[in-house]
Structure formats: structure tokens, C-alpha cells
Amino acid sequence: SDFDSDDTSSSDSRKKELMADALSAFFLYHDSGGDLYGAEIDRIYRSAYSVGDCEIMDEGHHGTPNERRCASMWGAELAASSDASIIDLLELKSRFNLWYDGLDYHCTTIDSSSASTSSRTTVMTLIMAGTAATWLGL
């Protein structure tokens, strides 16, 4: 779906937030972006998890904790792929849409046992997400 619409449905909000998580992690993990790895990128995963919610019927629902973490992990994994240096924004959005269509399947194996994080890390992640969106022209 096109993100230029004024649709504020729960599913649209969730998709936008998950895309923000994925693009942020892509940018932060990418060699030409934040170049984070190891414990640094793991904090991004935990931060994404910490801002998830379970209010799936609420219009403001932005994705469950596991979905948020899963989206950030997908973005970082894509940045680590061999063709990451040649992915433009349209291709990135296309790949995200394909991933999103299989969201339930992709996110069932995420282990949330280590998903706690500090509020400082969460704020830093949200700031970085805004930076990534600006960098990608969203």
C-alpha cells in the first residue's frame, strides 16, 4: 500500500511503524550508515521491542513488541546482505512490503526473553529512527 494516504487505520499505523523500525535498523547497521554491530545493534532490537504494544484492536496500535523487534532485525539482516550497497529506497520499500505480507510467519521465532531496555536507549532509538527516515527521504 502507498504510505502517502491519510488512512489512519490500525493496520496502516502498524505497517508504518514496523517500516520505521526496519529502515532505522537498516540504516544503523549498514556500513555507510551507523555501522553498529554486536551489543550496539542488539540494543536497537531491545528498544524496538520496548515500544511495542499489544492493543491490536486500538487505532493507535503500532505493532506488538515481537513484531517491532522482528522488523528491526529484518532491517539489520538486510543491511548485512551482500547486495545491501545497491538497494535504493524503492527497492527497500518493495522488499519490506514482501516481508510484511509474511509478518506472522517471520516473527513467530523471535525470542523476547531479553527484550528489556532503558528509557534512555528507547529515546535514542526513536531519535535514530527519525534520522534514518530523513536520510531515506521519507
Side-chain angles (χ1 to χ4, degrees):
S1 87
D2 187 358
F3 287 125
D4 295 331
S5 71
D6 290 331
D7 183 7
T8 57
S9 69
S10 175
S11 63
D12 189 58
S13 295
R14 179 179 80 155
K15 188 172 185 179
K16 287 179 181 179
E17 290 299 322
L18 295 178
M19 181 179 255
D21 292 334
L23 296 181
S24 297
F26 178 87
F27 170 74
L28 292 169
Y29 191 87
H30 198 282
D31 292 343
S32 297
D35 199 21
L36 300 181
Y37 59 92
E40 294 171 312
I41 199 68
D42 189 54
R43 280 192 295 266
I44 302 305
Y45 302 153
R46 290 191 319 255
S47 294
Y49 181 91
S50 74
V51 296
D53 67 78
C54 295
E55 303 297 324
I56 60 174
M57 300 306 288
D58 188 294
E59 284 186 20
H61 175 58
H62 289 132
T64 66
N66 279 346
E67 290 171 343
R68 301 288 302 259
R69 184 170 186 233
C70 184
S72 66
M73 293 174 79
W74 177 83
E77 289 170 6
L78 182 60
S81 70
S82 61
D83 65 344
S85 63
I86 59 170
I87 298 175
D88 66 15
L89 181 57
L90 293 177
E91 176 67 18
L92 188 57
K93 285 175 70 173
S94 175
R95 289 188 191 194
F96 173 81
N97 287 334
L98 288 173
W99 173 84
Y100 185 82
D101 290 342
L103 180 66
D104 292 335
Y105 170 77
H106 296 301
C107 295
T108 55
T109 60
I110 298 300
D111 175 19
S112 62
S113 63
S114 65
S116 65
T117 187
S118 71
S119 60
R120 180 172 181 241
T121 303
T122 301
V123 169
M124 289 175 58
T125 300
L126 294 173
I127 290 168
M128 289 184 253
T131 301
T134 300
W135 178 73
L136 292 167
L138 298 177

